[in-house]
Amino acid sequence: MSTRALRRLKGKQRGQEALDLGNLTLGDSPEEQAAGEEEQLDTANSKASTRKAKKNKAPKNVSNIYELIGDADNEAENISPDEEAEKPDGNKTSGTEKNDNPGIKKPDQKQDDVSTKVKPLSGDRVKKKKKKKKTKVTLEGGQEAVPDDNIDLLLENLDQTNGLSLQNEDCGGSDRRSVLHVEHRNLNPETELKRYFGARAVQGDQRPRQRNRQYHRSTWMTSPKDSWPRFSRPGISMTLLQSKDGIQFFTFEHGRDYQQVQFKFLDAVESMDPNNIVALLQLNPYHIDSLLQLSDVCRIQEDQEMARDLIERAMYSFECAFHPLFSLTSGTSRLDYLRPENRAFYLALYKHMMFLEKRGCPRTALEYCKLILSLDPDSDPLCMLLFIDFLMLRSREYHSLLQLHQDWEEHRNLSQLPNFAFSTALCHFHLSQQEDVDPEESDKERHKADQLLQNALIMFPGVLIPLLDLCTVQPDPTVTSHAFFGPKSQIGQPPALAELTALYVGRTHTLWREAAVMLWLEESVKEVLRRVDAKDPLVEDCQNKRKQRYQSAPRNIHRHVLLSEIKEATSSLPLEVTSQPVMGFDPLPPLDSVMSYTRPERQHVGATNESTLSLFFRSLLPNFNFQGGPRQEDDMEVARAGQELNQEVNRLMVAMRDMLANIRFQEPPREDNPYRDEEEWD
């Protein structure tokens, strides 16, 4: 039988009804099948002959019924020749004409029918599929060329158009989204630990017991532990406030029951007894502020494991309350720090990030740093821009650091921060030291690093001597005796600049201890001294900038210094910050906070209802108030009660001094044992 006849037969079979497999029997030879097929070809032009062909086809016997099953399955996907002939010309390829006789095909249509309809079981199937793909690519490209070349050309054009669109857009939206992009897998510290030590070393034999295992909701930020109390919703929910320009603004909300627990927590904090917070957590194991405050207590007592576990439990409680539209990775979800309900989430993320950094997971800590920054990149309430460069250097994300500096320099002036001025120079230096870099590219990076470090030393000369002291490096006498780097450069710094330099030196001095880095720093210092002696105009320009700027630091920088707990930086805080009480669950709250609910006013407790010893210890605190709180009443009775309380406290202090002065220790009896050795009591 000819190939053309077989093609026509296949096309005709797809136009018929479904085959009844129950009438099929085995036993006929291929010659009998061919005779039946020729009989169908002769009667394919008329309607009556088509019915006769169906009648002869029904009792036809085949040797492989699975071949017909496969053809029957393909009938739904392919179109019969009769249906294709009835289609309008617009659905066909241009340049072809409609043929009145479906049995006669033009040469141009023969190739298409073979490639789109016929699916033989022989090896020709692969070749005809390839022909179909080739013609499809040619039509899309608009010219006859190699398909791979067309695909590469299209991708290149798409990249060019995307790059132009990103450059034309405002620098605030798309650039921030690319820089603050967070990956889910990098939020898990085990991912980084497995990369360092291997999966077997991290997981070990810690397999959860299926019998006593509790059900926990799957989360991204933390892994629930079986040792945790059974989770029940504490009364926190998240609400979508508004969506504007692709940015969603959310907020956490406290239910009525959670508000009552929050009031009890504030009472427990005022009692200054951690046992009251522990008792509150036993009844409400997922109360956020109690978990944060007790975590600080455990950390002070050097119970790091328990402190970290409490923070993870708080984050799990937050994540279970997320809104369905809230995204950790897109960088388009916002939380207003002015609302007290949202501050606990910021603090939980920050404390968890600090635990990860101390644990040796800088890459995971970097993801949480970007997450905190993406929640409010404009205000940056925790001032994460003072910390993100350190994490990028530790995790060796050099290109990400340079991209952040390039994208945000125009609208945030990152070069005016000491940490970015020195970190970008250190970043270029590390890129020049990589082995897989071309010599020409390495020299270019090294020259850029030298230039940036010299500019940073000229702009911030007060960084050098404290940095060398923490690195245990004795500076050269020519450096210490020079007026530019001497003690005068540190004493004459504005207060805000002194705070920023102390923070940077105390945090990143470990990055400068490498021998190669120290040699590079020494060369740059010598070049800076030469430029200072040569009266470089940049030196005087930077001196004028230091005098005009850095007079007072904003509140978010003070909040960041308090949370960092770096003693070099906390000692440089202004008096208005150190004189007020700082709560661990809400350090330095914003002055324009948005309160959704207020604490009910407590009854004034007089001096007779409180123990004298408790009053004495409270009076030792710098924020002690006789009124029991910031009350604004001007009644004479309240003033008289305050005077009486002051007199009682003074009398108590005098009595305590007399008692301590009259204490006498009784000497041990010496005459009862005359034979005692003289050196026995020594």
Side-chain angles (χ1 to χ4, degrees):
M1 179 184 296
S2 63
T3 307
R4 181 178 179 183
L6 285 176
R7 291 173 183 169
R8 293 174 60 190
L9 178 60
K10 287 289 183 179
K12 191 60 183 176
Q13 285 181 353
R14 284 190 289 270
Q16 294 176 353
E17 297 116 20
L19 296 175
D20 186 8
L21 299 180
N23 298 330
L24 298 176
T25 57
L26 302 176
D28 284 354
S29 61
E31 289 79 9
E32 295 178 354
Q33 296 180 20
E37 292 170 354
E38 291 180 356
E39 219 172 330
Q40 288 183 352
L41 291 174
D42 297 334
T43 58
N45 293 327
S46 63
K47 215 170 189 182
S49 60
T50 304
R51 295 176 184 172
K52 188 182 294 184
K54 292 181 182 179
K55 206 176 287 184
N56 296 334
K57 180 68 180 177
K60 183 179 75 71
N61 299 328
V62 295
S63 59
N64 187 1
I65 61 174
Y66 299 102
E67 180 180 352
L68 294 179
I69 293 176
D71 291 340
D73 294 336
N74 293 330
E75 289 179 5
E77 302 177 359
N78 302 316
I79 306 174
S80 64
D82 297 334
E83 298 179 27
E84 186 177 1
E86 295 174 1
K87 286 184 178 181
D89 295 339
N91 296 334
K92 294 185 179 181
T93 308
S94 61
T96 59
E97 298 178 356
K98 184 176 179 180
N99 194 355
D100 297 333
N101 191 355
I104 301 174
K105 296 185 173 72
K106 292 187 178 182
D108 295 338
Q109 293 177 344
K110 187 186 297 184
Q111 182 76 15
D112 296 338
D113 293 338
V114 172
S115 60
T116 56
K117 296 181 180 181
V118 181
K119 296 183 180 180
L121 300 177
S122 61
D124 296 335
R125 181 176 184 178
V126 180
K127 296 181 180 179
K128 291 168 182 176
K129 280 189 175 181
K130 288 183 179 179
K131 290 181 181 179
K132 176 185 176 183
K133 291 180 180 178
K134 186 177 296 185
T135 54
K136 183 177 181 181
V137 173
T138 304
L139 289 174
E140 290 179 356
Q143 57 183 0
E144 295 182 1
V146 183
D148 296 339
D149 295 342
N150 289 336
I151 294 176
D152 294 338
L153 184 59
L154 288 174
L155 292 177
E156 184 178 357
N157 294 334
L158 287 175
D159 292 338
Q160 292 177 357
T161 54
N162 289 336
L164 291 175
S165 61
L166 289 178
Q167 293 176 1
N168 294 332
E169 287 181 3
D170 184 51
C171 62
S174 60
D175 291 340
R176 289 181 187 177
R177 192 176 307 154
S178 61
V179 172
L180 303 180
H181 177 69
V182 180
E183 297 183 7
H184 276 137
R185 60 185 182 88
N186 290 330
L187 293 175
N188 188 0
E190 292 186 358
T191 304
E192 186 173 3
L193 294 176
K194 289 176 183 178
R195 187 165 60 250
Y196 295 153
F197 308 106
R200 182 172 299 180
V202 175
Q203 294 178 351
D205 297 333
Q206 298 179 358
R207 296 182 178 179
R209 298 179 181 179
Q210 300 294 334
R211 180 175 300 176
N212 299 327
R213 188 177 181 183
Q214 300 181 11
Y215 172 74
H216 293 284
R217 177 181 174 180
S218 60
T219 53
W220 289 109
M221 296 189 296
T222 57
S223 298
K225 301 178 181 178
D226 295 335
S227 59
W228 289 358
R230 188 176 184 86
F231 179 77
S232 60
R233 295 191 176 275
I236 300 180
S237 59
M238 179 180 280
T239 305
L240 176 63
L241 296 179
Q242 63 174 344
S243 297
K244 183 178 180 182
D245 298 333
I247 305 297
Q248 291 83 28
F249 296 88
F250 298 89
T251 183
F252 286 101
E253 292 183 349
H254 294 171
R256 291 185 178 180
D257 295 339
Y258 192 91
Q259 293 178 12
Q260 299 299 323
V261 178
Q262 186 73 11
F263 298 152
K264 295 179 182 179
F265 165 74
L266 297 177
D267 296 339
V269 170
E270 291 180 356
S271 68
M272 293 180 295
D273 188 1
N275 295 322
N276 294 335
I277 301 178
V278 174
L280 184 63
L281 273 178
Q282 291 178 352
L283 299 177
N284 306 275
Y286 288 93
H287 181 254
I288 304 298
D289 288 342
S290 299
L291 293 171
L292 297 179
Q293 190 72 20
L294 191 60
S295 175
D296 291 340
V297 175
C298 295
R299 185 172 49 82
I300 294 174
Q301 298 177 355
E302 297 184 355
D303 190 358
Q304 302 293 333
E305 188 67 26
M306 187 63 184
R308 186 178 64 188
D309 186 78
L310 293 173
I311 295 298
E312 291 179 357
R313 199 196 302 180
M315 294 177 59
Y316 178 75
S317 180
F318 269 124
E319 193 166 0
C320 291
F322 279 173
H323 192 274
L325 298 180
F326 184 80
S327 175
L328 295 172
T329 60
S330 64
T332 58
S333 299
R334 301 287 185 264
L335 283 175
D336 191 1
Y337 194 81
L338 299 179
R339 297 179 179 269
E341 297 87 349
N342 299 335
R343 296 174 198 163
F345 185 60
Y346 279 89
L347 296 175
L349 291 176
Y350 184 89
K351 295 177 185 295
H352 185 62
M353 176 192 64
M354 295 301 297
F355 281 123
L356 290 173
E357 192 270 331
K358 295 178 181 178
R359 191 181 176 185
C361 301
R363 185 66 182 86
T364 309
L366 175 60
E367 293 298 310
Y368 281 95
C369 183
K370 293 191 293 184
L371 174 59
I372 298 173
L373 187 57
S374 67
L375 294 177
D376 195 353
D378 297 328
S379 302
D380 194 9
L382 299 186
C383 209
M384 301 311 298
L385 288 177
L386 299 178
F387 193 61
I388 191 172
D389 61 304
F390 171 70
L391 294 177
M392 286 183 173
L393 288 174
R394 281 204 58 191
S395 57
R396 300 181 180 179
E397 295 289 334
Y398 303 129
H399 294 286
S400 299
L401 176 58
L402 296 179
Q403 181 186 358
L404 175 64
H405 181 265
Q406 180 182 359
D407 295 343
W408 289 45
E409 169 64 22
E410 183 178 354
H411 61 283
R412 298 298 290 268
N413 293 326
L414 297 183
S415 59
Q416 301 303 313
L417 297 175
N419 59 315
F420 268 94
F422 285 91
S423 295
T424 51
L426 189 59
C427 182
H428 281 286
F429 175 78
H430 284 300
L431 288 176
S432 67
Q433 299 297 312
Q434 292 181 351
E435 298 179 355
D436 55 346
V437 180
D438 297 335
E440 184 179 355
E441 186 69 21
S442 178
D443 295 340
K444 183 179 178 181
E445 293 289 345
R446 180 60 183 269
H447 178 70
K448 184 70 173 177
D450 295 341
Q451 184 180 3
L452 290 176
L453 182 57
Q454 293 172 18
N455 294 339
L457 289 173
I458 293 175
M459 183 66 189
F460 308 105
V463 174
L464 180 63
I465 300 301
L467 180 62
L468 295 178
D469 291 341
L470 290 180
C471 293
T472 63
V473 175
Q474 184 68 27
D476 192 84
T478 58
V479 177
T480 55
S481 61
H482 201 281
F484 189 74
F485 288 117
K488 184 179 178 181
S489 64
Q490 302 179 27
I491 298 175
Q493 288 187 123
L497 182 58
E499 185 177 349
L500 291 175
T501 54
L503 178 66
Y504 175 74
V505 171
R507 172 174 288 159
T508 62
H509 65 275
T510 56
L511 302 176
W512 295 85
R513 287 181 175 177
E514 300 180 13
V517 176
M518 195 57 64
L519 290 175
W520 168 59
L521 178 61
E522 182 181 359
E523 296 174 359
S524 300
V525 169
K526 292 180 181 178
E527 182 63 23
V528 168
L529 290 179
R530 188 194 63 80
R531 294 174 61 180
V532 171
D533 296 337
K535 304 295 182 179
D536 193 328
L538 181 62
V539 178
E540 185 178 359
D541 185 29
C542 292
Q543 185 177 1
N544 295 330
K545 289 181 179 178
R546 288 195 301 271
K547 292 180 180 179
Q548 296 175 3
R549 305 171 183 174
Y550 310 107
Q551 295 301 321
S552 61
R555 197 173 180 84
N556 59 342
I557 293 182
H558 298 327
R559 189 182 299 118
H560 179 86
V561 171
L562 288 173
L563 291 174
S564 66
E565 297 182 354
I566 298 176
K567 60 181 181 179
E568 293 84 3
T570 53
S571 61
S572 61
L573 286 172
L575 183 61
E576 61 267 14
V577 177
T578 56
S579 60
Q580 57 180 320
V582 178
M583 297 298 178
F585 63 93
D586 191 7
L588 289 183
L591 301 178
D592 52 348
S593 300
V594 179
M595 307 295 294
S596 59
Y597 64 95
T598 57
R599 183 183 180 186
E601 188 175 357
R602 302 179 61 190
Q603 296 293 332
H604 180 64
V605 181
T608 56
N609 295 336
E610 192 169 3
S611 64
T612 307
L613 187 62
S614 176
L615 283 175
F616 169 71
F617 285 113
R618 284 185 56 197
S619 65
L620 299 180
L621 298 177
N623 60 336
F624 175 69
N625 189 358
F626 299 115
Q627 311 296 329
R631 302 173 61 88
Q632 302 294 333
E633 301 178 5
D634 295 330
D635 297 337
M636 296 300 297
E637 184 178 354
V638 176
R640 192 181 307 110
Q643 295 177 359
E644 294 176 357
L645 180 60
N646 191 12
Q647 296 175 1
E648 292 291 335
V649 171
N650 292 333
R651 283 195 293 266
L652 175 63
M653 295 181 65
V654 172
M656 291 290 292
R657 292 193 192 99
D658 295 339
M659 182 183 66
L660 294 175
N662 296 328
I663 292 178
R664 296 288 186 273
F665 295 98
Q666 185 178 3
E667 297 182 357
R670 294 178 178 270
E671 300 178 357
D672 295 343
N673 188 6
Y675 302 100
R676 179 184 60 83
D677 191 1
E678 294 296 333
E679 298 180 354
E680 183 178 352
W681 292 95
D682 294 341

